[in-house]
Amino acid sequence: RTSGQAAYLRAIRNHEMVFCTGPAGTGKTYLAVAAAIESLRQQEVRKVALVRPAVEAGESLGYLPGDLQAKINPYLRPLLDALREMLDHEQVRRSMDDDVIEVVPLAYMRGRTLNNAFIIMDEAQNTTVAQMKMFLTRMGEGSKVVVSGDISQVDLLPHTRSGLSDALERLDGLRGIATVALTGSDIVRHRLVQDIVRAYEEDASA
């Protein structure tokens, strides 16, 4: 819906790896998931992996009942929500049962190599430098990686460097990698969200 979003989609189509930063509501996750589903439908990839670091935004979920899957489900819910806006419930269930679409916490990526896959990491600002390196090196032949996050919303422990900030500096200029920075003008949620983001930005710069 915006020029920034159009540039983001172009970057995804034309590069093997894309980093996208921007505030809430700019479509970072939604557009990446849409591009992944399109690639799957066009048979450009065989698998879609949606990944998120399990870092709490100021609240602990450890007390929740249930097994590990039940505990990590709240972290993965935004990815599932984006997925269900594009596919009906039965398509999502069947794709996940067949392992064509996988929604997993970042820790589950260790030791794997994903070939012919479209791999998305959401909330990447909450990775450490070591976690980001681990994630990026999962990329196999014929795969595409999209990393998105909001570097103003880091939930890591104090004095812990964000893997997203580090990667943006470290990998700058590498061939095959694109960086897209969305801004408040790219927000497409409720009209109030743009005003809320602006109010917090003004407070932070005061």
Side-chain angles (χ1 to χ4, degrees), residues 137-162:
T137 53
R138 302 308 93 201
M139 186 182 190
E141 289 296 323
S143 288
K144 189 180 289 280
V145 170
V146 177
V147 178
S148 70
D150 179 356
I151 48 181
S152 73
Q153 297 290 327
V154 177
D155 298 314
L156 295 169
L157 292 171
H159 312 301
T160 302
R161 181 152 169 76
S162 166

Side-chain angles (χ1 to χ4, degrees), residues 110-127:
R110 191 172 299 280
R112 302 176 62 185
T113 301
L114 295 181
N115 296 312
N116 303 114
F118 197 120
I119 314 161
I120 299 168
M121 197 212 298
D122 186 38
E123 298 291 334
Q125 75 277 4
N126 287 330
T127 61

Side-chain angles (χ1 to χ4, degrees), residues 3-133:
S3 58
Q5 290 182 339
Y8 182 29
L9 285 173
R10 279 196 304 274
I12 292 173
R13 290 191 194 102
N14 298 326
H15 296 81
E16 295 154 280
M17 185 176 289
V18 176
F19 289 88
C20 180
T21 60
T26 50
K28 301 183 300 294
T29 304
Y30 184 88
L31 291 171
V33 173
I37 297 302
E38 182 64 18
S39 289
L40 198 59
R41 286 175 172 155
Q42 298 293 329
Q43 299 184 325
E44 297 165 352
V45 295
R46 294 202 305 260
K47 180 184 179 72
V48 172
L50 309 176
V51 183
R52 212 167 190 250
V55 175
E56 296 140 355
E59 52 190 312
S60 176
L61 298 172
Y63 66 87
L64 290 175
D67 58 12
L68 180 63
Q69 192 61 44
K71 286 180 186 293
I72 62 175
N73 192 57
Y75 295 110
L76 304 178
R77 175 63 51 191
L79 293 172
L80 288 167
D81 289 346
L83 202 54
R84 286 175 179 145
E85 284 204 32
M86 293 160 223
L87 301 172
D88 64 40
H89 180 78
E90 181 56 30
Q91 286 176 306
V92 173
R93 188 194 63 76
R94 193 167 60 246
S95 297
M96 292 179 75
D97 286 348
D98 294 341
D99 205 33
V100 174
I101 297 177
E102 185 179 15
V103 184
V104 292
L106 176 60
Y108 284 33
M109 296 296 286
R110 191 172 299 280
R112 302 176 62 185
T113 301
L114 295 181
N115 296 312
N116 303 114
F118 197 120
I119 314 161
I120 299 168
M121 197 212 298
D122 186 38
E123 298 291 334
Q125 75 277 4
N126 287 330
T127 61
T128 64
V129 173
Q131 286 173 328
M132 179 63 79
K133 179 186 175 186

Side-chain angles (χ1 to χ4, degrees), residues 159-187:
H159 312 301
T160 302
R161 181 152 169 76
S162 166
L164 178 57
S165 299
D166 178 80
L168 289 170
E169 292 178 17
R170 191 185 298 268
L171 306 179
D172 183 44
L174 285 186
R175 191 164 59 87
I177 297 179
T179 301
V180 178
L182 300 178
T183 68
S185 62
D186 296 303
I187 291 174

